[in-house]
């Protein structure tokens, strides 16, 4: 079953970092996992920028528990080059989606509501997926495997928002061809450019902030789960 509520954390370190073996990083994730309502955590370095990382935390409900993680990231101390960016939002994801063999791309569009127009993006992405993805689960994907959308409200007045688009592609090469407006894409020419690409660029040329990263995610597990698994293996042996 998909998890409906998530925190997406952007981390920028001063140097390349091996996340799996970093004690402070793992301490933060351990503390997060002890918060009531925690479901799962996935993490990964940004491809091509190993000093940057993304963490996705799934929650069982929207009871305000996400906000309690904010202070934990200070445990990374001087390793960070900038303050973490944390987005709390409803977006339907399952951890297995994040660690699939496909290329995962996260796109963020942040700005005033009149520029980012959240409902338009949800509708546009839905139309794009309907036109370009196979209609049957038995058919292999052409290039676009899927896209989940979410909206993070930026202030108490609700005047700003961040649109999160989580894309999954079969490969970087397939994505490049899919995004090329001069090439025919499944469903007809320039589907991405007309529905998503041009509106994104127009918003970015105004006052909205646009960012996109590719991430190779893996699932993080609490130490207790690891110890239980090891104990089970010993019993079997």
């Amino acid at each position: 079953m998909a998890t409906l509520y998530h925190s997406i954390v952007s981390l920028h370190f001063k140097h390349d970092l091996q996340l799996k073996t970093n004690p402070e990083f793992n301490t933060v994730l351990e503390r997060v996992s002890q918060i009531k309502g925690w479901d799962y955590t996935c993490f990964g370095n940004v491809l091509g920028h190993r000093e940057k990382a993304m963490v996705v935390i799934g929650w069982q409900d929207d009871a305000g528990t996400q906000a309690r993680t904010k202070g934990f990231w200070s445990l990374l101390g001087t390793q960070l080059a900038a303050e973490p960016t944390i987005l709390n939002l409803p977006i339907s994801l399952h951890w297995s989606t994040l660690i699939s063999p496909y290329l995962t791309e996260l796109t963020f569009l942040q700005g005033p509501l009149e520029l980012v127009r959240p409902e338009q993006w949800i509708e546009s992405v839905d139309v794009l997926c309907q036109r370009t993805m196979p209609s049957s689960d038995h058919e292999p994907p052409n290039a676009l495997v899927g896209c989940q959308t979410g909206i993070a409200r930026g202030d108490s007045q609700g005047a700003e928002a961040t649109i999160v688009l989580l894309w999954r592609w079969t490969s970087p090469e397939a994505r490049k061809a899919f995004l090329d407006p001069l090439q025919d894409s499944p469903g007809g020419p320039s589907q991405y450019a007309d529905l998503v690409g041009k509106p994104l660029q127009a918003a970015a040329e105004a006052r909205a902030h646009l960012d996109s990263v590719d991430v190779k995610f893996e699932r993080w597990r609490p130490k207790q789960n690891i110890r239980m698994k090891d104990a089970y293996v010993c019993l079997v042996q």
Side-chain angles (χ1 to χ4, degrees):
M1 180 181 293
T3 303
L4 297 180
Y5 302 100
H6 288 81
S7 297
I8 300 178
V9 185
S10 302
L11 299 172
H12 187 182
F13 297 95
K14 293 180 180 178
H15 308 286
D16 293 359
L17 194 68
Q18 295 293 331
L19 297 175
K20 291 181 70 172
T21 58
N22 184 273
E24 289 80 12
F25 179 76
N26 281 279
T27 296
V28 172
L29 299 193
E30 284 284 353
R31 293 196 178 187
V32 169
S33 71
Q34 294 167 10
I35 296 178
K36 183 180 179 181
W38 175 83
D39 192 19
Y40 73 84
T41 298
C42 290
F43 68 94
N45 288 102
V46 173
L47 300 183
H49 300 276
R50 290 196 57 81
E51 76 282 2
K52 297 181 179 181
M54 303 295 299
V55 181
V56 177
I57 304 167
W59 303 97
Q60 295 172 358
D61 54 51
D62 188 27
T65 53
Q66 302 101 312
R68 293 176 55 190
T69 69
K70 186 174 182 179
F72 292 167
W73 302 103
S74 62
L75 293 173
L76 296 173
T78 57
Q79 297 183 70
L80 291 174
E83 285 289 320
T85 300
I86 306 174
L87 296 174
N88 298 314
L89 70 161
I91 182 171
S92 181
L93 288 174
H94 189 270
W95 62 264
S96 60
T97 301
L98 293 169
I99 65 170
S100 72
Y102 299 115
L103 173 66
T104 301
E105 176 188 4
L106 281 164
T107 299
F108 304 94
L109 181 67
Q110 179 184 18
L113 284 176
E114 64 267 19
L115 283 181
V116 299
R117 293 177 290 180
E119 290 74 17
Q120 173 189 316
W121 288 112
I122 294 175
E123 181 180 353
S124 296
V125 170
D126 285 345
V127 171
L128 178 68
C129 291
Q130 290 171 11
R131 291 182 180 177
T132 61
M133 291 176 60
S135 58
S136 171
D137 292 337
H138 300 291
E139 299 177 64
N142 299 301
L144 178 60
V145 181
C147 183
Q148 278 76 30
T149 58
I151 306 168
R153 302 293 176 178
D155 56 23
S156 57
Q157 288 75 34
E160 292 195 355
T162 300
I163 310 303
V164 179
L165 308 175
L166 191 148
W167 307 90
R168 287 176 295 139
W169 307 94
T170 55
S171 69
E173 296 75 21
R175 175 179 61 180
K176 183 178 180 181
F178 187 92
L179 301 187
D180 188 346
L182 300 179
Q183 295 194 35
D184 285 351
S185 61
S190 305
Q191 292 293 313
Y192 178 87
D194 293 340
L195 289 168
V196 177
K198 291 177 182 178
L200 275 178
Q201 193 58 42
E205 290 173 356
R207 291 181 295 155
H209 176 71
L210 177 64
D211 192 20
S212 186
V213 295
D214 296 338
V215 185
K216 179 63 176 177
F217 282 105
E218 57 183 293
R219 190 181 182 189
W220 177 88
R221 296 178 184 274
K223 289 181 179 179
Q224 181 180 2
N225 286 3
I226 295 175
R227 286 196 295 266
M228 290 176 64
K229 179 180 178 181
D230 292 341
Y232 175 75
V233 171
C234 291
L235 287 172
V236 171
Q237 291 176 341

